[in-house]
Amino acid sequence: MTAPAFAHAAEIERSLELMAERCEDPAPLVYGRVFAAHPQVEAQFWRDTNGTIRGEMLARTFSAILDFVGDRLYADHLIKTEVITHEGYEVPREVFSTFFGFVAEAVREVLGPDWTPATETAWREMLAEIQRYLDATPRVGAPA
Ligand code: HEM
């Protein structure tokens, strides 16, 4: 087995496992925060009449996080390509990048006292590392 891509992978995995055990549907916890912070984006889900797209987007985000901290086979590329795709949905990358932080807040809420200082460190460092990938993604149409 190769080493995980991220030093605190086990802590991220533990927190997401607890989240999955304790919360059947984390979507309201995450999207409630997204829409409170960015009220304009709720209307951008107009095609999502039954929550399927929001559910799929969140599921893909959880999978991407697990891959990002583990084998990192695709998540770094996925994050970079989704930024561009979302600019096509008129979601600015500054908004896009906040999603992972709202996921972190939702996990913290569900874990309660099981969100330890080590969990906090792991998520903070992972969010910073994801942000570095986002910052390195060229803007479409920007001069090279
Ligand atoms: C606050 C940040 C974000 C907003 C406002 C947002 C917004 C949207 C919207 C409006 C759609 C639906 C487009 C349509 O009508 O088909 C969508 C789809 C999608 N988003 Fe996001 N997005 C955000 C962050 C992310 C992140 C971080 C990821 C994953 C890395 C992601 C992955 C996806 C995927 C995979 C879909 C397609 C889902 C499907 O239809 O199968 N999004 N997003």
Side-chain angles (χ1 to χ4, degrees):
M1 217 178 101
T2 53
F6 179 66
H8 307 284
E11 194 53 42
I12 300 287
E13 287 161 5
R14 184 192 76 95
S15 65
L16 289 178
E17 274 163 25
L18 284 176
M19 168 90 156
E21 279 167 20
R22 294 178 186 178
C23 180
E24 199 177 317
D25 181 13
L29 295 179
V30 175
Y31 288 97
R33 288 174 162 84
V34 173
F35 298 152
H38 311 289
Q40 76 284 5
V41 306
E42 189 161 7
Q44 292 176 316
F45 285 94
W46 62 273
R47 292 196 324 129
D48 192 19
T49 49
N50 61 4
T52 313
I53 295 178
R54 272 166 288 179
E56 174 72 18
M57 185 173 122
L58 186 56
R60 296 272 290 274
T61 304
F62 283 131
S63 306
I65 288 172
L66 289 172
D67 179 71
F68 189 82
V69 300
D71 294 335
R72 206 171 290 184
L73 296 176
Y74 71 90
D76 44 349
H77 300 287
L78 176 87
I79 291 166
K80 289 174 140 200
T81 54
E82 284 295 342
V83 183
I84 311 278
T85 309
H86 281 68
E87 285 178 340
Y89 302 149
E90 310 218 343
V91 175
R93 64 181 57 194
E94 291 71 21
V95 173
F96 179 89
S97 62
T98 62
F99 194 73
F100 297 98
F102 293 128
V103 171
E105 285 179 18
V107 175
R108 183 166 52 205
E109 182 181 327
V110 171
L111 264 59
D114 292 318
W115 177 278
T116 66
T119 327
E120 173 75 25
T121 302
W123 276 86
R124 194 180 54 241
E125 292 189 10
M126 185 191 71
L127 292 175
E129 196 165 329
I130 289 175
Q131 190 59 48
R132 283 197 288 277
Y133 277 93
L134 293 170
D135 291 342
T137 306
R139 290 177 188 264
V140 175

